[in-house]
């Protein structure tokens, strides 16, 4: 790794990027050619209310259908969002920066029900608007004194059994320890949501891909298609996205699974997640029946040894795609995931010169 970045502050996305169009809602993965899946629509309507763009979800639905609100890929504006979450400019985000490249990811507003799972529960609105503001108020004075190095925390979490994507419990504790001085009540809240740290890991990984990642500049799924963008390309290259393969918490709901979704694929692209399964024995045991046989050795084939980021040329030449750890969502959205597992995009997607579909 040639350089690193720090977690510098928690900020409203629109305050950090004041030139953003106020009526745009930012989603994971490549752009939609038509209507988004219901899970993403649910969150878009909630986000419009959180952002003050609509008084209620019924009004938001009308505005979205009329085109007064528009959806756009988050990664096109240096933002990464988890799963089915949608972000408006007024929502609170983690900021990671090296002073030149700066990236953002939204704060996880809490355990289920949550926006990232496609929930339409109104409790998500209050959490994302009010509780996340409390996080900013507590975090920013501490970060102003000592910005944090997410990569150092992620490496430490690996040694404690995290992959830093599907498992983030150790990393969550590392993050809290590094921010000593937080109010006890806030610490207790964050501990109810071990995935809280993932937002920081995502923001750092998005920075890594942009600043030090070689050919790759974007990667993620929108529930219908999975896509990447290579440096120098102005369009996403995409393939249809099937659901991740994995363990279902409610097996009868498997036929209702949404396709691979989330910008959290940037974590796996940076050598964590599906490329760090050898550090997460609990996941190897849980997923033994469906992981590729080379799951623990595959990273040596596809990671660039200088940057630690997946190398499109190595992937295309070897025919070996990255493993992307992802939650499995209900296509109509729900308060919680219906399973978790992994998705492997086709290696041909990474071949230079291939046309986007």
């Amino acid at each position: 790794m040639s350089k690193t970045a720090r977690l510098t502050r928690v900020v409203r996305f629109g305050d950090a990027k004041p030139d953003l169009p106020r009526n745009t809602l930012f989603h994971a993965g490549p752009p939609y050619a038509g209507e988004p899946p219901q899970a993403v629509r649910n969150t878009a309507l909630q986000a419009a209310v959180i952002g003050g763009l609509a008084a209620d979800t019924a009004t938001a639905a009308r505005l979205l259908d009329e085109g007064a609100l528009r959806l756009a890929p988050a990664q096109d504006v240096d933002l990464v969002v988890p799963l089915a979450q949608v972000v408006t400019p007024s929502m609170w985000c983690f900021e990671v920066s090296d002073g030149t490249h700066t990236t953002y990811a939204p704060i996880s507003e809490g355990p289920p029900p949550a926006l990232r799972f496609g929930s339409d529960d109104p409790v998500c609105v209050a959490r994302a608007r009010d509780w996340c503001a409390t996080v900013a108020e507590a975090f920013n004075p501490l970060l102003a004194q000592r910005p944090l190095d997410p990569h150092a925390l992620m490496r430490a979490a690996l040694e404690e059994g995290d992959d830093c994507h599907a498992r983030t419990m150790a990393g969550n504790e590392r993050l809290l320890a590094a921010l000593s001085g937080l109010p006890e009540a806030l610490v207790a809240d964050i501990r109810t949501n071990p995935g809280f740290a993932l937002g920081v890991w995502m923001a750092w990984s998005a920075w890594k891909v942009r600043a030090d990642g070689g050919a790759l500049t974007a990667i993620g799924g929108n529930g219908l298609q999975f896509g990447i963008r290579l440096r120098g390309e102005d369009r996403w290259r995409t393939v249809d996205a099937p659901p991740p393969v994995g363990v279902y918490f409610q097996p009868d709901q498997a036929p209702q699974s949404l396709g691979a979704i989330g910008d959290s694929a940037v974590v796996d692209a940076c050598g964590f997640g599906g490329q760090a399964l050898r550090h997460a024995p609990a996941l190897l045991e849980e997923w033994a029946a469906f992981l590729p046989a080379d799951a623990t050795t595959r990273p040596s084939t596809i990671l660039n040894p200088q940057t630690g980021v997946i190398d499109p040329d190595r992937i295309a030449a070897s025919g070996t795609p990255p493993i992307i750890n992802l939650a499995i969502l209900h296509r109509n959205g729900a308060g919680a995931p219906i399973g978790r597992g992994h998705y492997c995009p086709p290696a041909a997607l990474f071949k230079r010169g291939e046309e986007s579909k």
Side-chain angles (χ1 to χ4, degrees), residues 88-323:
T88 60
S90 69
M91 291 172 69
W92 291 99
C93 292
F94 297 112
E95 179 183 87
V96 169
S97 180
D98 64 1
T100 301
H101 299 89
T102 305
T103 49
Y104 303 87
I107 297 174
S108 169
E109 82 277 10
L115 295 172
R116 61 194 181 277
F117 306 132
S119 176
D120 59 3
D121 192 320
V123 72
C124 301
V125 173
R127 286 181 185 168
R129 188 166 50 201
D130 303 329
W131 185 81
C132 292
T134 301
V135 172
E137 183 180 1
F139 274 43
N140 283 337
L142 300 175
L143 292 173
Q145 295 176 21
R146 189 168 74 100
L148 298 183
D149 180 354
H151 189 228
L153 297 175
M154 293 169 79
R155 292 198 315 268
L158 288 183
E159 300 305 314
E160 298 178 44
D162 278 5
D163 70 320
C164 294
H165 192 171
R167 283 181 63 91
T168 55
M169 293 175 288
N172 214 42
E173 289 300 317
R174 288 275 181 173
L175 180 64
L176 289 173
L179 289 166
S180 60
L182 291 174
E184 290 184 9
L186 183 59
V187 170
D189 284 345
I190 292 172
R191 282 189 169 133
T192 68
N193 179 21
F196 180 86
L198 181 58
V200 179
W201 303 168
M202 287 178 61
W204 179 86
S205 299
W207 165 83
K208 176 70 171 173
V209 165
R210 284 156 179 73
D212 204 21
L216 185 72
T217 61
I219 182 169
N222 66 18
L224 302 178
Q225 293 185 310
F226 189 90
I228 66 169
R229 195 173 61 240
L230 298 183
R231 201 169 302 278
E233 296 182 345
D234 58 5
R235 292 195 306 165
W236 288 72
R237 46 174 72 197
T238 61
V239 294
D240 290 341
V245 176
V247 173
Y248 282 86
F249 310 137
Q250 300 169 297
D252 62 309
Q253 294 193 7
Q256 305 301 316
S257 300
L258 182 63
I261 187 167
D263 288 336
S264 55
V266 295
V267 175
D268 307 70
C270 292
F272 296 91
Q275 275 52 255
L277 286 168
R278 65 187 180 88
H279 294 280
L283 289 179
L284 288 174
E285 181 178 358
E286 178 184 346
W287 296 348
F290 55 83
L291 279 173
D294 66 344
T296 59
T297 59
R298 181 174 299 205
S300 63
T301 302
I302 62 175
L303 291 176
N304 182 307
Q306 277 72 50
T307 66
V309 178
I310 57 172
D311 185 327
D313 292 337
R314 288 169 177 259
I315 292 169
S318 66
T320 306
I323 299 170

